Amino acid sequence: MHNKTLAELSAALQQSEVSSEELTRHLLQRIQSLDGKLNALVTVTEEHALAQARQADALRQAGNAGPMTGLPLIHKDIFCTDGVKTSCGSKMLDNFIAPYDATIVAKCKAAGMVMLGKSNMDEFAMGSSNETSFYGPVHNPWDLDAVPGGSSGGSAAAVAARLSPVATGTDTGGSIRQPAALCGVTGLKPTYGRVSRYGMIAFASSLDQAGPMTRSAEDAAMMLNVMAGFDERDSTSVEKAVPDYTQTLNDSLKGLKIGLPKEYFGEGMDQAVIDVINTAIKQYQELGAEVIEISLPNFALAVPAYYVVAPAECSSNLSRFDGVRFGYRCENPKDLQDFYERSRGEGFGAEVKRRIMIGTYALSAGYYDAYYLKAQKLRRLISDDFHKAFEQVDVIMSATAPTVAFKLGEKTDDPVTMYLSDINTIAVNLAGLPGMSIPAGFVNGLPVGLQIIGNYFDEQRLLNVAHQYQQVTQWHQQSPQDFA
Amino acid sequence: MALSKEDVVNIAHLARLAIDAKDIPEYEKNLSNILALVEQMSQVDTTQVEPMAHPLDAVQRLRPDEVTETDQREHFQSIAPATENGLYLVPKVIE
């Protein structure tokens, strides 16, 4: 039952082959017996899940069930969940019981979905390996000594290990796509503004975007149908009609123009990973697509620009954690200054502190032009490169990450090396474009992700392109041996 | 740009972060490395480039100035570390 996709489970529920309560109990049982090896969940909401499942079954009995009613999911612990701990992977929020639901959480509830729990993540979504979490690292189900990627590492590992057919994630510089690649699942980062950020704990507000992590493109389409849409509570939410993303999955790829940016196939990329990607591209040509070499000349500047924009915005956003209204508060402060400094110093982990300090420095008097303004100008150049490319092509493809999953502890001593593991994903966030990662093969038994980048609000095409590949390949159906 | 010990202490103070003295050398090294990465930005001439603050170049949406939220003070203060009579408690600020 746990190997079924969301679409298959939806059919099974509709045909009464299984009840939502049975499905929920089965997955809760799996979480209980298997998550000890993975550490993918911070909180398991058993009672909550069973209550929601019974409610879903009652709705179905009464003939009021929709396509998502009774389907289980896990939310990344960055989304506020009313009455349930929302830690964001931090000691700062270890005691935080969210007083309201994030918009996407409310939407999933309204669709009748059942929340199994909250997934582990890098602290405040800052990391590429899930090793900065206050709750310890998540282990990759394909190799328990390897990282799952980050920051949505718990969500990726949970979906790969069949603990849930779907989990939500967020992506500021690759945090959905990179762990999806490293764990062999399908991940979609929508266009900036497509999915509401209300109730999603902010890291870098001009980059953050929520999306689904699933085992197929079809499932991602079903989830995006639930998650997407205008929200007046998010000032950057875009007022634009939401199509039914499942309707265009079967469109033909004949004549599709795929751009291959030469910069993404050069230095720093593992050749074995590139070989897997080239094989996938050939498969697309067999499906009728045309391949065009393109150039995104400012590619190498994306990581430097990102490490100004993201820390600057994080230093502002995280100033709200002051120990006064919620979250961690230090013991016996001697005065107000000591109170702030120790509450924050003790509540935040090392990587979060580093980023707050870089951001504080970049925004301090006299440095604004050299750092933040300069980075915003580079952001324009990076974005213009994509605009030009999309005059020529429909989608852009590359590897999602330069290598397969690396070992736990391998990059923790050197933040800059860790940052460069997001080199292929970061530019997409700076430009605000949608991007996906889908499983495309293996290197040394570890999954490789193919990144597909689309034009603004072209999620329909991304999902169509991913789905067509999944109709002729089986990579997305592979499951890690110990979690089959 | 390489940061000195004094820079690290100053930035930590601006950010209101207590840092252990023994961790300062580590911050000096790591923050300097990150700034060296960031400084690759200066390779590009951007004099004529318009800065980009928002991916879609959107402008702030306005709404009528009407009360839309209800008062939930007790609910929100139920998760506060310390409150009294509807106020948040902090260490004494004025002697």
Side-chain angles (χ1 to χ4, degrees):
Chain A
M1 188 154 44
H2 52 266
N3 277 309
K4 286 194 192 319
T5 64
L6 209 54
E8 289 163 351
L9 290 171
S10 175
L13 287 168
Q14 276 168 49
Q15 285 149 23
S16 301
E17 286 167 27
V18 66
S19 71
S20 178
E21 186 175 345
E22 285 164 342
L23 177 60
T24 302
R25 282 190 191 280
H26 175 69
L27 292 173
L28 287 169
Q29 181 57 44
R30 266 182 83 75
I31 290 170
Q32 198 177 21
S33 62
L34 295 171
D35 195 40
K37 296 182 197 171
L38 297 172
N39 196 26
L41 279 92
V42 170
T43 305
V44 181
T45 50
E46 187 171 343
E47 281 175 34
H48 189 92
L50 289 170
Q52 279 185 325
R54 283 184 208 111
Q55 210 177 345
D57 288 333
L59 272 175
R60 194 171 299 280
Q61 287 278 312
N64 294 325
M68 307 301 276
T69 305
L71 291 172
L73 92 164
I74 291 171
H75 281 301
K76 184 176 182 180
D77 210 17
I78 197 168
F79 295 106
C80 286
T81 41
D82 193 6
V84 175
K85 178 169 124 172
T86 301
S87 74
C88 221
S90 182
K91 180 180 177 184
M92 182 60 87
L93 292 177
D94 182 47
N95 63 1
F96 180 65
I97 308 296
Y100 67 97
D101 276 332
T103 294
I104 68 128
V105 171
K107 282 184 170 213
C108 290
K109 264 188 195 170
M113 296 188 77
V114 173
M115 179 174 80
L116 302 172
K118 309 280 305 277
S119 64
N120 200 348
M121 56 181 283
D122 277 300
E123 184 179 6
F124 285 102
M126 296 175 201
S128 312
S129 66
N130 221 116
E131 291 169 294
T132 72
S133 170
F134 174 62
Y135 303 97
V138 174
H139 299 260
N140 190 315
W142 294 92
D143 173 1
L144 296 175
D145 295 327
V147 303
S151 66
S152 311
S155 290
V159 173
R162 275 72 180 147
L163 305 184
S164 170
V166 54
T168 52
T170 60
D171 192 315
T172 304
S175 283
I176 287 175
R177 290 160 290 155
Q178 186 255 15
L182 270 45
C183 288
V185 303
T186 297
L188 169 64
K189 174 231 173 277
T191 307
Y192 182 81
R194 178 80 287 186
V195 173
S196 170
R197 294 186 298 109
Y198 179 76
M200 173 176 133
I201 296 170
F203 159 18
S205 304
S206 77
L207 304 167
D208 298 340
Q209 183 63 197
M213 303 176 81
T214 56
R215 287 204 298 272
S216 73
E218 183 184 22
D219 287 3
M222 288 171 70
M223 275 306 292
L224 192 60
N225 277 350
V226 176
M227 294 171 75
F230 174 66
D231 181 8
E232 61 179 17
R233 290 177 147 168
D234 170 2
S235 65
T236 57
S237 172
V238 174
E239 262 184 289
K240 198 171 165 64
V242 180
D244 179 348
Y245 293 102
T246 61
Q247 288 303 305
T248 39
L249 291 172
N250 290 312
D251 289 2
S252 162
L253 299 190
K254 224 171 190 54
L256 177 83
K257 291 195 177 76
I258 300 174
L260 299 184
K262 57 180 186 212
E263 294 81 4
Y264 282 69
F265 290 80
E267 210 186 319
M269 309 293 161
D270 182 341
Q271 189 55 47
V273 168
I274 296 291
D275 291 345
V276 167
I277 299 305
N278 285 334
T279 306
I281 306 281
K282 279 205 195 78
Q283 201 111 30
Y284 272 107
Q285 286 173 303
E286 284 165 23
L287 289 169
E290 184 190 333
V291 169
I292 300 166
E293 184 176 296
I294 56 165
S295 175
L296 298 167
N298 293 294
F299 164 73
L301 295 166
V303 173
Y306 178 87
Y307 279 96
V308 173
V309 174
E313 294 182 10
C314 117
S315 74
S316 307
N317 274 327
L318 271 58
S319 64
R320 66 171 60 99
F321 300 103
D322 56 7
V324 176
R325 293 152 301 153
F326 49 79
Y328 179 80
R329 169 181 283 211
C330 71
E331 301 278 347
N332 307 316
K334 64 175 194 280
D335 54 26
L336 193 63
Q337 169 133 336
D338 183 50
F339 171 90
Y340 287 141
E341 293 191 345
R342 280 204 295 119
S343 293
R344 290 165 59 76
E346 293 165 16
F348 292 133
E351 177 62 18
V352 171
K353 280 189 262 197
R354 276 197 285 275
R355 296 208 196 184
I356 291 175
M357 288 170 75
I358 289 290
T360 302
Y361 177 72
L363 292 176
S364 60
Y367 292 106
Y368 182 83
D369 285 6
Y371 289 108
Y372 197 68
L373 195 69
K374 180 82 183 180
Q376 284 194 321
K377 289 178 168 189
L378 289 176
R379 194 171 177 182
R380 172 81 58 195
L381 294 178
I382 290 160
S383 186
D384 286 349
D385 285 352
F386 280 112
H387 294 178
K388 275 186 211 122
F390 282 119
E391 286 170 12
Q392 259 189 292
V393 301
D394 301 312
V395 293
I396 295 171
M397 289 187 185
S398 74
T400 308
T403 65
V404 291
F406 43 93
K407 296 286 181 193
L408 285 156
E410 192 179 317
K411 299 188 181 184
T412 39
D413 290 341
D414 182 4
V416 170
T417 309
M418 185 70 88
Y419 296 173
L420 291 172
S421 55
D422 286 335
I423 190 160
N424 288 4
T425 49
I426 271 179
V428 169
N429 299 78
L430 290 170
L433 293 163
M436 269 189 98
S437 180
I438 57 171
F442 291 84
V443 169
N444 300 329
L446 293 171
V448 173
L450 170 73
Q451 178 172 236
I452 313 169
I453 304 167
N455 211 338
Y456 296 102
F457 297 101
D458 213 3
E459 287 83 0
Q460 266 177 303
R461 193 191 312 257
L462 283 187
L463 289 159
N464 165 227
V465 168
H467 180 71
Q468 287 306 303
Y469 179 77
Q470 293 181 342
Q471 296 309 294
V472 296
T473 57
Q474 276 80 46
W475 302 118
H476 64 294
Q477 290 164 353
Q478 308 302 309
S479 56
Q481 212 176 358
D482 297 346
F483 302 90
Chain B
M1 146 140 201
L3 295 178
S4 66
K5 182 186 168 200
E6 290 68 38
D7 291 329
V8 171
V9 170
N10 183 38
I11 297 166
H13 172 67
L14 287 174
R16 298 295 183 271
L17 287 172
I19 302 276
D20 272 354
K22 66 169 172 46
D23 294 335
I24 290 175
E26 189 76 12
Y27 279 104
E28 250 181 271
K29 187 185 83 181
N30 284 330
L31 297 182
S32 297
N33 287 346
I34 296 167
L35 289 175
L37 168 82
V38 158
E39 245 127 73
Q40 292 173 20
M41 295 195 307
S42 59
Q43 293 163 8
V44 186
D45 177 16
T46 51
T47 19
Q48 300 300 317
V49 181
E50 185 72 19
M52 178 172 141
H54 183 288
L56 305 170
D57 286 326
V59 289
Q60 195 67 38
R61 192 173 58 241
L62 298 176
R63 61 165 176 84
D65 185 16
E66 289 161 2
V67 176
T68 54
E69 296 291 330
T70 51
D71 180 6
Q72 299 185 65
R73 184 169 71 178
E74 277 171 32
H75 182 45
F76 292 147
Q77 287 197 333
S78 67
I79 51 166
T83 58
E84 200 179 293
N85 302 327
L87 302 170
Y88 292 99
L89 295 186
V90 293
K92 199 167 175 184
V93 182
I94 302 161
E95 292 298 327

